[in-house]
Amino acid sequence: VLALKAAIAHLRNPNAVIVYTFYTKSLYQYIQRLITRFYRQYDDKDPDWGKLKILHAWGGISNPGIYYEACERHQSYYYNFELAAQNDRSYPFNFACAELLKSELTPMYDYIFIDEGQDFPISFLKLCLRLADKGKIVWAYDELQTIFQTKTPDISEVLDKSEYKGLEEDIILYKCYRNPREILIAAHAIGFGLYGKRIVQMIENKEYWQDIGYKVIEGEFKEGQRIVIERPQENSLETISKFFKKNEIVKFHVSDSVIEEVQQTVRNIEDDLEQGLLPDDILVIVLDDRNAKDYLSGIQKILASKNIKSNNIHSDKFNLKDFSLPNHVTLSTVHKAKGNENYSVHIMGIDALYALDPTIRQRNLMFTAMTRAKGWISLTGTGRNANLWCKEIITALSKFPNLEFTFPSSHELKIMKRDIKENAVRKSRQAKMLDDLLTEMSPEEIKQFLVQREVKKKK
């Protein structure tokens, strides 16, 4: 929708300087393709990319970005990641933008479209308001995809009350144009923690559930009430659901070892190809950050031995590498997959995200990975933790097309909100403790320490 809005704005204002910005570097190709597709529905040529700019939020000498361009224009000091992290290790970009806001800034663009708004600090959103003519920004976000910080900035934190004039109300999409209903319902159940040990986040009223495409079947949103909500078929695309059963759309497998898990995922990919999908219709997402390199290189080697080409996004950590290549299976972490999509998505290392009680961030990571799929998902992991995720998914599919839960008490809701704040404080304290520790160790000592502390998964 945001790409469509940007294309329409460019059509209506061909001389205006419009910027579309985002957080995940690997989104560049996908955004450009989307905007071009929408634009060419109304015109027989491509957009003028000199006027409609797709810029990363941060940017640098090799890759342009809003923050970098603003520093250049206003002759302000530019903080790259390393320099910003020296000042604020917990959130370097917030520090960089906050420092720039201390400068006298003048507008540089006519409009700024901000994608992935849930992952940006308040300082960046305020920076965009300053850089856009008359503060003309469009800000899109999905709170369940908040994986880089603990809370989506509230509009009241970004704007002063005096700036509310002219602010249009949020547009909430009740119809899902990406995911089959089976995937979306399972992902929502996982994201909220409806069938886990406890609900970790909650939409607190009937109206909001209806706004995002659900129908309340039973219960009032009061403490202890049994709630049953249904997702009607008309609020999701039917293409896949018409021809496949729910256990064919959402699949999972628990392996005894990582090697077995990798082999299982390769078999799943081969099944996709036998069913008629192209390699570039397939995406592999690894949720285990610690072992992502081993997972993806292992898959890549086996695929190569079977003459299946693959595009390992994780191997290029700093550049704007194309997320998708023709005739290549895409291999990625969840962080770089965010915002992208594909028909068949294979999610690996799910066990890494299930501790004794998955946090909001861990559940949001699972939600993000699952909702990359336009057709089918398969989830794999090893051991007990993978089984715990699978039990939640089995429960969600058994109740399909409904979500069923007991509405939390006011005390539980307070705990949920407190968890968000405490998580941010905890991360800040941990960063400080780490900084203090690292100042007492040489680089070689740090390296040895990490090698000794690393716990390898069972091979």
Side-chain angles (χ1 to χ4, degrees):
V1 176
L2 196 66
L4 174 61
K5 285 179 174 288
I8 291 174
H10 183 44
L11 281 161
R12 292 176 176 173
N13 307 277
N15 295 318
V17 179
I18 301 170
V19 170
Y20 190 113
T21 191
F22 51 95
Y23 192 103
T24 307
K25 287 184 177 181
S26 56
L27 271 179
Y28 184 93
Q29 177 199 33
Y30 176 64
I31 291 168
Q32 186 177 51
R33 188 168 64 243
L34 269 184
I35 293 176
T36 301
R37 184 192 305 166
F38 290 132
Y39 188 85
R40 290 186 69 88
Q41 289 181 6
Y42 302 95
D43 204 332
D44 59 358
K45 61 179 185 295
D46 285 347
D48 179 355
W49 300 114
K51 293 292 185 180
L52 175 51
K53 301 181 178 183
I54 303 175
L55 297 178
H56 187 250
W58 197 320
I61 296 175
S62 58
N63 297 311
I66 285 185
Y67 167 73
Y68 177 77
E69 285 197 351
C71 289
E72 288 285 291
R73 169 73 68 86
H74 297 95
Q75 297 182 334
S76 297
Y77 187 82
Y78 169 75
Y79 286 90
N80 61 21
F81 179 85
E82 183 179 358
L83 290 172
Q86 289 175 8
N87 291 275
D88 185 350
R89 186 172 292 275
S90 62
Y91 209 158
F93 192 41
N94 181 56
F95 171 82
C97 292
E99 287 298 300
L100 182 55
L101 283 171
K102 296 176 183 178
S103 305
E104 290 292 330
L105 304 176
T106 56
M108 296 172 55
Y109 317 108
D110 293 295
Y111 302 91
I112 298 179
F113 290 79
I114 307 169
D115 204 349
E116 303 184 292
Q118 71 276 357
D119 288 325
F120 287 118
I122 294 171
S123 59
F124 177 71
L125 299 173
K126 289 186 174 182
L127 178 62
C128 288
L129 282 169
R130 297 269 294 275
L131 298 178
D133 182 45
K134 299 177 183 178
K136 289 181 288 190
I137 68 172
V138 180
W139 173 26
Y141 62 90
D142 182 344
E143 288 194 285
L144 281 182
Q145 292 190 48
T146 305
I147 64 177
F148 294 107
Q149 56 185 0
T150 55
K151 181 180 180 295
T152 298
D154 189 87
I155 193 65
S156 63
E157 298 173 293
V158 179
L159 295 176
D160 296 328
K161 288 185 178 180
S162 60
E163 297 175 302
Y164 271 48
K165 186 178 180 181
L167 177 68
E168 294 186 8
E169 293 183 2
D170 288 347
I171 300 173
I172 301 174
L173 298 179
Y174 68 91
K175 185 168 184 175
C176 179
Y177 293 93
R178 174 190 287 158
N179 316 120
R181 188 167 56 147
E182 294 79 0
I183 292 177
L184 188 62
I185 288 174
H188 274 144
I190 291 292
F192 289 112
L194 299 184
Y195 308 126
K197 288 186 176 181
R198 65 184 179 101
I199 297 174
V200 300
Q201 47 193 339
M202 174 52 55
I203 293 175
E204 298 180 34
N205 60 70
K206 173 181 178 180
E207 290 72 25
Y208 201 110
W209 279 108
Q210 292 173 335
D211 285 342
I212 63 171
Y214 284 89
K215 178 181 178 182
V216 178
I217 302 298
E218 178 184 331
E220 298 181 15
F221 287 76
K222 297 179 180 178
E223 179 178 336
Q225 284 276 311
R226 181 174 182 268
I227 307 295
V228 179
I229 57 176
E230 174 194 2
R231 186 161 193 92
Q233 179 60 66
E234 60 267 23
N235 289 345
S236 299
L237 298 180
E238 296 185 67
T239 312
I240 302 298
S241 301
K242 273 186 176 181
F243 302 101
F244 294 87
K245 299 176 181 178
K246 58 188 179 183
N247 60 352
E248 295 174 323
I249 296 173
V250 180
K251 297 185 293 185
F252 43 85
H253 180 84
V254 179
S255 301
D256 292 328
S257 68
V258 171
I259 290 177
E260 181 188 322
E261 182 184 359
V262 168
Q263 293 171 339
Q264 177 64 45
T265 298
V266 171
R267 286 195 292 271
N268 291 341
I269 291 171
E270 290 180 303
D271 288 343
D272 285 344
L273 296 174
E274 289 176 6
Q275 294 298 318
L277 290 180
L278 299 173
D280 45 289
D281 291 328
I282 302 169
L283 168 62
V284 176
I285 297 175
V286 173
L287 293 176
D288 185 346
D289 286 341
R290 177 179 292 180
N291 296 287
K293 182 179 178 180
D294 293 338
Y295 268 109
L296 296 177
S297 62
I299 290 239
Q300 193 166 33
K301 288 177 183 177
I302 298 178
L303 290 178
S305 71
K306 297 175 179 290
N307 295 317
I308 301 172
K309 297 178 181 178
S310 59
N311 179 33
N312 188 350
I313 299 297
H314 191 58
S315 64
D316 187 1
K317 295 184 178 181
F318 302 105
N319 296 318
L320 294 175
K321 185 176 181 178
D322 287 346
F323 188 80
S324 178
L325 293 177
N327 205 36
H328 286 65
V329 174
T330 303
L331 310 179
S332 178
T333 62
V334 65
H335 307 287
K336 293 192 175 183
K338 195 172 72 66
N340 286 285
E341 59 185 28
N342 225 323
Y343 288 98
S344 181
V345 176
H346 303 279
I347 304 168
M348 303 181 68
I350 63 174
D351 50 286
L353 292 185
Y354 209 116
L356 294 175
D357 187 5
T359 63
I360 291 173
R361 184 175 183 276
Q362 288 171 325
R363 288 192 174 277
N364 286 353
L365 283 165
M366 279 287 287
F367 175 86
T368 299
M370 293 172 71
T371 53
R372 297 311 89 208
K374 297 192 289 184
W376 306 267
I377 58 171
S378 67
L379 302 100
T380 60
T382 61
R384 173 182 175 275
N385 289 354
N387 270 312
L388 291 172
W389 279 126
C390 291
K391 285 181 180 179
E392 291 191 32
I393 293 170
I394 290 170
T395 303
L397 292 177
S398 72
K399 297 180 183 299
F400 176 85
N402 296 340
L403 292 174
E404 301 177 11
F405 56 93
T406 299
F407 193 74
S409 66
S410 56
H411 176 68
E412 290 170 316
L413 290 171
K414 287 179 182 177
I415 290 175
M416 291 176 204
K417 294 170 182 176
R418 190 183 69 200
D419 282 349
I420 294 174
K421 295 178 181 178
E422 288 186 350
N423 190 32
V425 173
R426 177 181 57 80
K427 288 171 72 174
S428 178
R429 288 174 180 167
Q430 288 175 338
K432 184 178 185 305
M433 291 171 63
L434 184 59
D435 287 342
D436 293 341
L437 176 62
L438 295 182
T439 57
E440 300 174 3
M441 301 173 68
S442 68
E444 186 59 34
E445 287 174 330
I446 293 171
K447 184 177 179 179
Q448 291 177 356
F449 175 79
L450 292 176
V451 170
Q452 292 169 358
R453 294 290 296 174
E454 184 174 3
V455 179
K456 288 290 185 181
K457 296 177 80 174
K458 182 182 177 182
K459 297 293 183 181

